[in-house]
Structure formats: C-alpha cells, structure tokens
Amino acid sequence: LEHLLDDERDLPDLYAKFCKIPQFAGQDGVEVRAAGMFALVGFAGELATEYGITGWQERDALNAAISAFGAWREFRGQGQTETRQILQAVRDFIHRNGDARFSCITNASESQIRDRTGYWRDSSDGRVYLFNSSGLKEACHGFDIRRILDALDTAGWIVEHDTGKRSKKIKVSGSSISLYAIRPTEES
C-alpha cells in the first residue's frame, strides 16, 4: 500500500491500458467484465513485481492473468452463458416433466394435470410444447421472462406467435389463452 500511495503515475490510466491489451478483449458484456477483473489481477501483479515484492520477472503476472482469462473463456464456452443456461433449463424441464405437467392439446379437457405448465402437439417438424407463462418462469427459475423469451427467440425455438408478440392465442377447452409455442432443438 505504501508503494501505491507513493506512486505518482496515473494508475487508473495504466490500468485502462492493461484492459486494452488484445488478449483481454471480450465478446459480450460478461466477458468484458471478466476481462477487466483478470486485467486488474495482472496489473496488480506487475506493480507488485515492479515494487520488488514478488520476486517475479516482468510480465509474469500479466502473462498469468492472460492465461487465466483464456482458461476461463474456454471453460465458459461459446455464446452467451445465460442463453445457454436458459435453453438447457427448458430442455431439462421438458425431459423431467413432459408427461406429468403437459397434456396433448387435442385432449386437453379430458386430462387432469396437476400444476399444468402447458400442452403439446406434434407437427411435421417435431413436438411443440405450448408453455403457459408461469411454466416458462418455473422452467427457467431465476431469469426474467423477457430474458427467457429473448434466449428462446434468438435460438429459433419460438415457432409460432401472434403478430408483434412472442405468445400465441390458442383455444383450449373453449377458452382462448396465451401460450408460448416452443420447439427445442439439439443444435442450440
């Protein structure tokens, strides 16, 4: 701390330069924030080395921070983490609850489903799950409904909707209700 207090250089400016090192370039908001943290660790290590505290060679801390950021990025995978989490949560929810919480839309009045999350119907492209909004929120617990719908829309999983909406009004047992027509794919 004494070294930092005695250092007359513009440390925030030096840190900003560390953040601009090409190896710390992020592809989305999460990566940019993470890169900033890794750059800060590298910057602190380089300062500590310069002050004679670590006994390391110049650039050791920076190279370690760049390497750690690369490992973090590789572990994280491609694409937005939240989007992948949402898609996986919907897939998992359907696998766990498909028969127990969804019923065929054509036999909706005949089936007694406890805690219904929606319906299903088969199409030539595969099974479409018609989620109600509470079911979709439950499937993706912890995410805002708008974020959930953004992820599903981006992945192309919303296969039917009314103009200007992401839901579709569908007649079920004589009543018209808004449902989200979701067809998961394995590629996304």
Side-chain angles (χ1 to χ4, degrees), residues 73-91 143 147 151 157 188:
R73 180 186 262 168
E74 189 175 311
F75 176 77
R76 178 177 184 250
Q78 296 298 314
Q80 290 190 348
T81 302
E82 286 184 348
T83 297
R84 286 182 300 143
Q85 289 173 344
I86 289 167
L87 298 179
Q88 190 60 50
V90 169
R91 250 191 223 109
F143 290 100
R147 180 67 188 95
W157 286 18
S188 300

Side-chain angles (χ1 to χ4, degrees), residues 117-153:
T117 55
Y119 305 89
W120 60 265
R121 70 169 166 234
D122 288 326
S123 72
S124 59
D125 295 324
R127 181 158 288 180
V128 176
Y129 290 88
L130 306 166
F131 276 86
N132 58 38
S133 62
S134 64
L136 204 48
K137 288 179 201 173
E138 182 184 343
C140 302
H141 180 72
F143 290 100
D144 175 77
I145 188 70
R146 181 165 289 165
R147 180 67 188 95
I148 296 166
L149 293 171
D150 286 345
L152 294 170
D153 203 14

Side-chain angles (χ1 to χ4, degrees), residues 4-45:
L4 284 173
L5 293 173
D6 291 339
D7 199 323
E8 294 184 7
R9 295 174 293 179
D10 185 352
L11 295 178
D13 184 54
L14 287 173
Y15 167 60
K17 288 178 182 171
F18 262 69
C19 289
K20 291 179 182 171
I21 293 172
Q23 292 90 334
F24 288 128
Q27 296 179 351
D28 58 41
V30 173
E31 278 193 11
V32 169
R33 287 188 298 278
M37 294 296 109
F38 284 100
L40 180 61
V41 169
F43 178 58

